[in-house]
Amino acid sequence: MDKRKENSTNSINEAYWNNNCGIAFTLSLIGGRWKINILSYLLNEKILRYSELRNRLVGISERMLISQLKELEKDGLVNRIVHQQVPPKVEYELTERGLSLQPLLDLMDKWGEDNLGDK
Amino acid sequence: MDKRKENSTNSINEAYWNNNCGIAFTLSLIGGRWKINILSYLLNEKILRYSELRNRLVGISERMLISQLKELEKDGLVNRIVHQQVPPKVEYELTERGLSLQPLLDLMDKWGEDNLGDK
DNA sequence: TAGGGTACTAACAAAAAAGTAAGTATGGAT
DNA sequence: ATCCATACTTACTTTTTTGTTAGTACCCTA
């Protein structure tokens, strides 16, 4: 959403790895500042409207919430469901691809919990 | 290594989630710009010296290579082995904790490969 | 005595990510 | 006619990450 320079050294390297390494590609989809939080809530609660997500994600700004949701939608991980009514009502849920992240997120959570305290 | 403002909104939120969510903690350790690349090479080749890593990580700058290695070492994922000789020889290998990331990285790789082409 | 190879370090600049504050559209309720 | 709630949008600033370039130390070799 915010524009990046497409020919910076960093962008070129990033694009290269994202297209040639499964791990890098995966990280590029779930690595955003608030993405795992959003994905986790949606995994647990199935469907949430915009304001419900905002209330759960303590500390997030509207700008970030929208931009993370847009990226997740663009990457095919969440569906945006618009109800035609006033005041507006928009809900978010995981796509099949989003749901398929569950085992990965579970494993990340377990590894993290196992290593959190230790040095 | 590079200093951050410790009381910015972003830092506070990040620290909060990293200490309370296994996934966030895991991401904070492996999410650095070149960390998965370094971890992958060390998983495959067991032990590599600094210059060997530099040659494999096409596009990385010395500054980034050092800073990523230092963070991985601080987080207990890699060992730094210094040989007392001239010219210097320093090798890097995974710790047990680093090795324990293998299943996670494998899963991330698989998910990425399965989803790379599709839209 | 000058140069070479390795593993770094440091200072400054550019790029990218995130924060902040204010504004928009809509139709229904008052 | 005004206010309200929801889901955004926009412009501008700060913070954070990364790049770039130019060093350093060490002993050995020529």
Side-chain angles (χ1 to χ4, degrees), chain A residues 30-66:
Chain A
I30 68 172
R33 182 73 181 72
W34 294 90
K35 286 185 183 172
I36 52 170
N37 308 271
I38 294 173
L39 293 170
S40 295
Y41 279 116
L42 290 178
L43 275 170
N44 285 329
E45 311 200 44
K46 303 295 180 194
I47 192 161
L48 287 169
R49 53 192 299 193
Y50 177 83
S51 53
E52 292 173 324
L53 279 169
R54 173 160 33 82
N55 292 337
R56 281 162 180 73
L57 297 167
V58 176
I60 200 174
S61 64
E62 305 241 357
R63 187 179 165 292
M64 270 294 103
L65 178 50
I66 290 285

Side-chain angles (χ1 to χ4, degrees), chain A residues 2-118:
Chain A
D2 294 327
K3 30 284 173 190
R4 293 179 60 168
K5 256 192 120 165
E6 282 181 13
N7 53 348
S8 71
T9 306
N10 187 42
S11 283
I12 292 168
N13 287 333
E14 204 178 355
Y16 170 79
W17 289 100
N18 288 350
N19 288 321
N20 289 282
C21 166
I23 310 181
F25 177 73
T26 302
L27 262 187
S28 76
L29 297 201
I30 68 172
R33 182 73 181 72
W34 294 90
K35 286 185 183 172
I36 52 170
N37 308 271
I38 294 173
L39 293 170
S40 295
Y41 279 116
L42 290 178
L43 275 170
N44 285 329
E45 311 200 44
K46 303 295 180 194
I47 192 161
L48 287 169
R49 53 192 299 193
Y50 177 83
S51 53
E52 292 173 324
L53 279 169
R54 173 160 33 82
N55 292 337
R56 281 162 180 73
L57 297 167
V58 176
I60 200 174
S61 64
E62 305 241 357
R63 187 179 165 292
M64 270 294 103
L65 178 50
I66 290 285
S67 85
Q68 300 295 88
L69 285 171
K70 277 197 178 160
E71 287 182 24
L72 290 169
E73 193 193 0
K74 167 176 68 64
D75 292 331
L77 297 176
V78 313
N79 279 327
R80 179 168 176 271
I81 304 159
V82 182
H83 299 270
Q84 278 300 146
Q85 62 185 62
V86 169
K89 175 173 179 181
V90 179
E91 294 181 304
Y92 293 89
E93 63 175 9
L94 294 176
T95 60
E96 254 191 63
R97 181 187 288 193
L99 288 167
S100 76
L101 282 168
Q102 176 118 44
L104 179 55
L105 296 182
D106 285 349
L107 194 52
M108 291 182 73
D109 192 46
K110 175 157 188 348
W111 194 93
E113 295 294 340
D114 288 348
N115 288 275
L116 233 172
D118 320 5

Side-chain angles (χ1 to χ4, degrees), chain B residues 1-2 50 60-69:
Chain B
M1 305 296 124
D2 294 326
Y50 177 82
I60 200 174
S61 64
E62 305 242 358
R63 188 179 165 294
M64 271 293 104
L65 178 50
I66 291 284
S67 86
Q68 300 294 87
L69 285 171

Side-chain angles (χ1 to χ4, degrees), chain B residues 19-55:
Chain B
N19 288 319
N20 289 282
C21 167
I23 311 181
F25 177 73
T26 302
L27 260 187
S28 76
L29 298 201
I30 68 172
R33 182 73 181 74
W34 293 91
K35 287 184 183 173
I36 52 169
N37 309 270
I38 295 173
L39 294 171
S40 295
Y41 279 117
L42 290 178
L43 274 170
N44 284 329
E45 312 200 42
K46 302 294 180 196
I47 192 160
L48 287 169
R49 53 193 299 193
Y50 177 82
S51 53
E52 293 173 324
L53 279 169
R54 174 163 27 85
N55 292 336

